[in-house]
Amino acid sequence: MSSPAGAGRTTPRSAGLRVLRIAGVGVVIVLALVAILTALRTELPRSPGVMSDALGPENGEPVDDYLARAVKSLGDDGENPATGADDLRWALVTAGRAWTVPEASGVVRELPRVSGLYVQVPVEGVAMPVTGVTLAEPVAGESGREQVFDRGVRDVVERLRGGRPVGPGAQAPPDADRADATAALTVSRIRSGAPAIIGLLARGTPAQLRTVAGQPGVRAVEALPADAVWERFAVRPLQPQQVDAAFPLPDDAPVPSA
């Protein structure tokens, strides 16, 4: 029996449809491969709130270990410039004892930038608050950083004068009365001229930072890698009374009157 006319033969229209279907499948496969390769080569974005770097000792870290780690972070005098010896680094400059404004200003006089200071008035047997403030560089007409640091210390005074947090959702510290007393004592002693600067957040090259580390009264200078980004790292100041390890200070003595 003969087949009907045209059966089994491919018409131009059916051939064109087949080509389009094959091409469509090919496009889908190519797009899928591109998407997979792109996903493999793309790093997940960092969360803005993640602090990947930190300055200062870890909780409970032996102080001697931290001091050695800080020295290592600065490299050495024979560092090859190709490895980034000329790159500016954020660094924590730690005082051996609390500094006055002129003393702190003198320590970092040669550094290109100082962006923060940390204040604490040491009292034996009392865990006094550590307060940090951000600094602006000297403005027009100012010859150095003393006025900048003085404004920073006054900012600390104003902040501590505010007392305990208030408003919806605000939580008082476990011993609010003691916190108020230590804040008032800090304000009183700063106003009387007591040394209170225990740390500085500065920026400089490793060589500049090593020079600062060698000055009398400087306990440590710890630097971050050159790619560390401002406000994307944590700062944990080493307190002068933390001698053996970075544990919370004893807090069992009465708070002196302001």
Side-chain angles (χ1 to χ4, degrees):
M1 179 182 292
S2 60
S3 300
R9 290 187 299 174
T10 301
T11 66
R13 181 180 180 182
S14 64
L17 291 174
R18 183 180 299 175
V19 170
L20 289 175
R21 283 197 296 270
I22 294 173
V25 172
V27 169
V28 171
I29 293 173
V30 170
L31 291 176
L33 289 173
V34 170
I36 292 172
L37 292 173
T38 301
L40 290 174
R41 295 181 60 186
T42 303
E43 296 182 359
L44 293 175
R46 291 185 179 182
S47 169
V50 173
M51 298 287 188
S52 57
D53 294 307
L55 287 167
E58 298 178 2
N59 184 40
E61 181 178 8
V63 170
D64 287 345
D65 290 357
Y66 170 68
L67 298 180
R69 183 160 61 83
V71 171
K72 187 176 179 180
S73 74
L74 301 179
D76 56 56
D77 293 332
E79 187 176 6
N80 187 334
T83 63
D86 294 328
D87 293 336
L88 294 174
R89 318 286 179 95
W90 288 109
L92 176 63
V93 181
T94 299
R97 56 168 179 76
W99 290 321
T100 63
V101 164
E103 288 172 336
S105 177
V107 165
V108 292
R109 181 178 292 111
E110 302 303 323
L111 293 184
R113 185 174 183 85
V114 179
S115 294
L117 61 77
Y118 299 88
V119 165
Q120 182 195 51
V121 174
V123 176
E124 190 67 31
V126 179
M128 297 294 286
V130 176
T131 308
V133 293
T134 301
L135 302 175
E137 283 298 318
V139 298
E142 294 180 348
S143 59
R145 290 195 169 107
E146 284 196 28
Q147 291 169 283
V148 177
F149 288 6
D150 187 63
R151 283 195 298 271
V153 171
R154 283 189 274 115
D155 286 345
V156 170
V157 168
E158 291 303 314
R159 183 179 301 183
L160 294 177
R161 281 184 60 201
R164 68 188 69 173
V166 296
Q171 296 184 353
D175 190 340
D177 290 337
R178 188 174 181 88
D180 287 347
T182 56
L185 180 60
T186 300
V187 169
S188 174
R189 294 204 173 176
I190 288 177
R191 284 177 168 172
S192 69
I197 299 174
I198 65 167
L200 298 167
L201 181 59
R203 193 160 169 79
T205 66
Q208 291 171 328
L209 296 172
R210 286 194 296 270
T211 298
V212 171
Q215 295 189 51
V218 175
R219 190 177 187 189
V221 178
E222 179 195 4
L224 288 175
D227 61 355
V229 179
W230 171 250
E231 292 189 334
R232 293 291 299 275
F233 53 84
V235 181
R236 304 178 293 249
L238 176 65
Q239 302 172 51
Q241 292 169 286
Q242 290 175 320
V243 177
D244 298 320
F247 286 120
L249 297 178
D251 194 30
D252 51 8
V255 179
S257 58

